[in-house]
């Protein structure tokens, strides 16, 4: 088995196949939160192993990582997975946390598993890397491959993750509803909270796709509420101009303001190790209402479609993406590659070592063109504080200006 640490390799079938199909015992596990396309990836791994390589023994690990040692497995075949791509969620179930490397590898060894396909986000890929290292330490002939899953699109290196297109498309329903509500009442405001713990890609792309959004707030772009140039001033201006307003906010935006307002900052984390966020949507809704209470009659409707978006089946674009990722993973494992994640890099499907995927998180670059395009679309200010604005330099330009 090829154990060499490679930088990146083009994905796809190879001339030589390492595994004998009759000896393969493969397993598939889904970890972390839900995401559109999970069932499609499961289906296409099973179909790829069965159709392309004649593999007969494929197991499904129920309930995430802890399913390796705390739950039963189920047999996966072509009949079992035939139409699961039409459903949201995952037929294997999932969970956060539960990663015990020793117990997991013990279970893999006891069950005679020699191929492990792990579908999950950045935390799950870190877990996959730990499993791979333990397997290598024990000298086992077991291949470990990851299929990156994050609805936030926050995994680095890769162009995009599956489920993201579906999430952006589904977010339009919430934004459209918010726009209808806002335009139907005097001084109507529709506020939509979308996913994006550390990265605001869903909020940014949903805003660009909608054209009905007046203001988009993401974690990467700080904002403030009071005084000149703040959010409240902009809301008042937009209501005066149009009589209504739609605001999209990512769940991780404004957490610093929320902590200051509550005079406490939570350090609690979920089972995956993610910081538990306070509900910025409810908080900012109340702050807006309180600010304008004595100035005008305000009709604010708050919409949180988070779990509706996560639970839908993947759309056509994501189904194609899931299929290609799954097939690439199968080809790589059957060829003997190990310890890799498969992803689209500069338009090409690629095998990427685990350590490259887990180095950092992908975030919106607010000095990049996409954010500039959003500001042009919404005509919102950058919400930079006065202290952050530098005086023009001697050449006539503004020091610290965005490089658009």
């Amino acid at each position: 088995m090829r154990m060499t640490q490679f930088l990146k390799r083009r994905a796809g079938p190879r001339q030589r196949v390492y595994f004998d199909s009759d000896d393969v015992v493969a397993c598939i596990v889904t970890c972390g939160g839900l995401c559109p396309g999970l069932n499609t990836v499961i289906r296409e791994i099973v179909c790829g192993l069965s159709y392309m390589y004649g593999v007969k023994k494929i197991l499904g690990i129920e309930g995430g990582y802890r399913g390796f040692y705390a739950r039963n497995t189920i047999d996966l075949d072509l009949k079992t997975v035939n139409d699961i791509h039409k459903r949201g969620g995952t037929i294997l179930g999932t969970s956060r946390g539960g990663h015990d490397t020793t117990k997991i590898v013990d279970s893999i060894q006891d069950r005679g598993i020699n191929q492990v396909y792990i579908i999950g986000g950045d935390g799950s890929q870190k877990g996959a890397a730990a499993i791979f290292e333990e397997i290598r330490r024990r000298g086992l002939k077991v291949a470990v491959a990851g299929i990156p899953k994050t609805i936030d699109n926050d995994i680095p290196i890769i162009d995009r993750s599956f489920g993201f297109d579906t999430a952006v498309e589904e977010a339009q329903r919430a934004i459209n509803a918010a726009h209808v509500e806002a335009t139907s009442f005097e001084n109507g405001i529709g506020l939509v909270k979308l996913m994006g713990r550390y990265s605001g890609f869903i909020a940014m792309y949903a805003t660009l796709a909608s054209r009905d959004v007046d203001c988009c707030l993401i974690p990467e772009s700080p904002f403030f509420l009071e005084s000149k140039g703040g959010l409240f001033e902009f809301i008042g201006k937009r209501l005066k101009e149009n009589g209504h307003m739609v605001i999209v906010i990512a769940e991780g935006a404004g957490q610093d303001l929320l902590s200051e307002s509550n005079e406490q900052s939570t350090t609690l984390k979920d089972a995956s190790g993610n910081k538990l966020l306070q509900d910025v949507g409810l908080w900012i809704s109340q702050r807006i209402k309180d600010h304008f209470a004595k100035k005008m009659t305000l009709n604010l409707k708050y919409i949180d479609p988070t779990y509706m978006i996560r639970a839908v089946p993947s759309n056509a674009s994501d189904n194609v993406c899931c299929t290609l990722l799954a097939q690439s993973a199968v080809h790589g494992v059957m060829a003997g590659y190990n310890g890799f994640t498969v992803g689209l890099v500069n338009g090409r499907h690629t095998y990427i070592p685990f350590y490259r995927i887990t180095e950092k998180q992908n975030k919106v670059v607010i000095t990049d063109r996409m954010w500039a395009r959003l500001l042009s679309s919404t005509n919102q200010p950058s919400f930079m504080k006065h202290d952050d604005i530098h005086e023009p330099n001697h050449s006539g330009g503004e020091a610290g200006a965005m490089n658009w």
Side-chain angles (χ1 to χ4, degrees):
M1 185 176 294
R2 299 183 180 102
M3 303 297 289
T4 307
Q5 286 294 313
F6 49 90
L7 292 178
K8 286 195 289 280
R9 289 183 186 265
R10 182 83 177 266
R14 298 299 193 265
Q15 187 173 11
R16 294 184 179 182
V17 176
Y18 177 85
F19 285 96
D20 187 320
S21 300
D22 292 334
D23 296 332
V24 171
V25 180
C27 75
I28 305 170
V29 62
T30 52
C31 308
L34 294 182
C35 176
L38 285 169
N39 280 332
T40 305
V41 175
I42 295 169
R43 181 186 190 276
E44 296 309 317
I45 293 174
V46 173
C47 290
L49 286 169
S50 301
Y51 288 143
M52 295 187 292
Y53 293 98
V55 172
K56 299 290 192 297
K57 187 68 172 176
I58 308 170
L59 303 174
I61 306 298
E62 293 185 306
Y65 275 134
R66 61 169 51 91
F68 276 102
Y69 54 86
R71 299 283 291 275
N72 294 325
T73 61
I74 61 173
D75 292 323
L76 297 175
D77 54 31
L78 295 172
K79 185 177 180 180
T80 306
V81 302
N82 181 48
D83 62 352
I84 62 172
H85 60 291
K86 300 175 183 178
R87 294 182 247 161
T90 164
I91 62 164
L92 298 178
T94 186
S95 64
R96 296 188 182 276
H99 189 279
D100 187 316
T101 304
T102 301
K103 288 184 178 180
I104 290 171
V105 177
D106 286 346
S107 175
I108 290 170
Q109 196 169 0
D110 292 344
R111 297 173 190 269
I113 294 168
N114 51 18
Q115 293 186 8
V116 182
Y117 297 89
I118 297 170
I119 310 168
D122 54 347
S124 301
Q125 298 304 309
K126 289 177 182 176
I131 292 169
F132 164 65
E133 292 297 339
E134 177 63 16
I135 284 172
R136 187 166 65 167
R137 189 189 68 79
R138 297 189 190 188
L140 305 177
K141 293 185 176 181
V142 179
V144 182
I147 296 90
K149 172 233 65 173
T150 167
I151 205 167
D152 292 345
N153 201 39
D154 60 356
I155 290 181
I157 308 294
I158 63 175
D159 297 350
R160 69 180 176 90
S161 53
F162 74 84
F164 177 71
D165 277 1
T166 305
V168 171
E169 183 178 306
E170 196 66 19
Q172 300 305 301
R173 298 176 184 271
I175 293 173
N176 290 342
H179 184 250
V180 169
E181 288 285 349
T183 56
S184 298
F185 293 89
E186 180 185 6
N187 294 324
I189 297 178
L191 178 67
V192 180
K193 185 181 78 172
L194 296 177
M195 288 156 292
R197 179 180 295 274
Y198 304 112
S199 304
F201 287 103
I202 292 180
M204 180 173 72
Y205 276 84
T207 295
L208 284 167
S210 170
R211 304 295 176 181
D212 287 330
V213 179
D214 297 279
C215 183
C216 177
L217 304 171
I218 62 173
E220 296 90 337
S221 182
F223 64 95
F224 62 103
L225 303 179
E226 311 276 358
S227 71
K228 185 174 179 59
L231 179 62
F232 290 156
E233 182 185 70
F234 178 63
I235 291 173
K237 178 183 177 183
R238 191 53 58 94
L239 289 176
K240 185 177 181 180
E241 292 172 348
N242 299 338
H244 64 272
M245 185 177 188
V246 175
I247 302 171
V248 168
I249 185 167
E251 62 180 327
Q255 289 294 317
D256 55 334
L257 298 177
L258 206 160
S259 297
E260 290 174 9
S261 176
N262 294 340
E263 297 183 351
Q264 60 180 1
S265 178
T266 178
T267 57
L268 299 177
K269 296 183 178 181
D270 63 20
S272 296
N274 298 313
K275 181 179 177 181
L276 288 175
L277 301 180
Q278 302 177 75
D279 194 328
V280 70
L282 288 174
W283 173 79
I284 203 167
S285 295
Q286 192 58 52
R287 288 298 306 272
I288 292 171
K289 290 177 182 177
D290 292 343
H291 180 81
F292 289 96
K294 296 181 180 180
K295 299 180 181 180
M296 63 176 73
T297 301
L298 203 69
N299 289 283
L300 189 149
K301 303 296 189 297
Y302 171 50
I303 299 174
D304 180 0
T306 300
Y307 295 105
M308 293 175 62
I309 292 174
R310 295 187 346 161
V312 299
S314 52
N315 63 11
S317 173
D318 274 326
N319 270 335
V320 173
C321 178
C322 292
T323 300
L324 298 181
L325 288 172
Q327 289 183 358
S328 294
V330 168
H331 287 313
V333 168
M334 289 300 295
Y337 289 109
N338 200 357
F340 69 90
T341 294
V342 63
L344 196 66
V345 180
N346 296 326
R348 296 186 174 187
H349 284 86
T350 308
Y351 300 136
I352 311 161
F354 283 135
Y355 74 89
R356 293 298 307 276
I357 288 291
T358 57
E359 285 176 334
K360 58 181 181 180
Q361 286 184 313
N362 189 29
K363 295 187 177 184
V364 174
V365 179
I366 61 171
T367 55
D368 205 0
R369 291 182 178 178
M370 283 305 290
W371 186 245
R373 290 164 181 153
L374 179 139
L375 296 179
S376 299
S377 174
T378 62
N379 198 29
Q380 70 185 66
S382 63
F383 298 115
M384 292 178 65
K385 291 184 179 180
H386 184 269
D387 293 342
D388 297 329
I389 301 174
H390 301 286
E391 294 297 324
N393 59 27
H394 295 296
S395 63
E398 184 176 319
M402 288 186 176
N403 182 20
W404 290 348

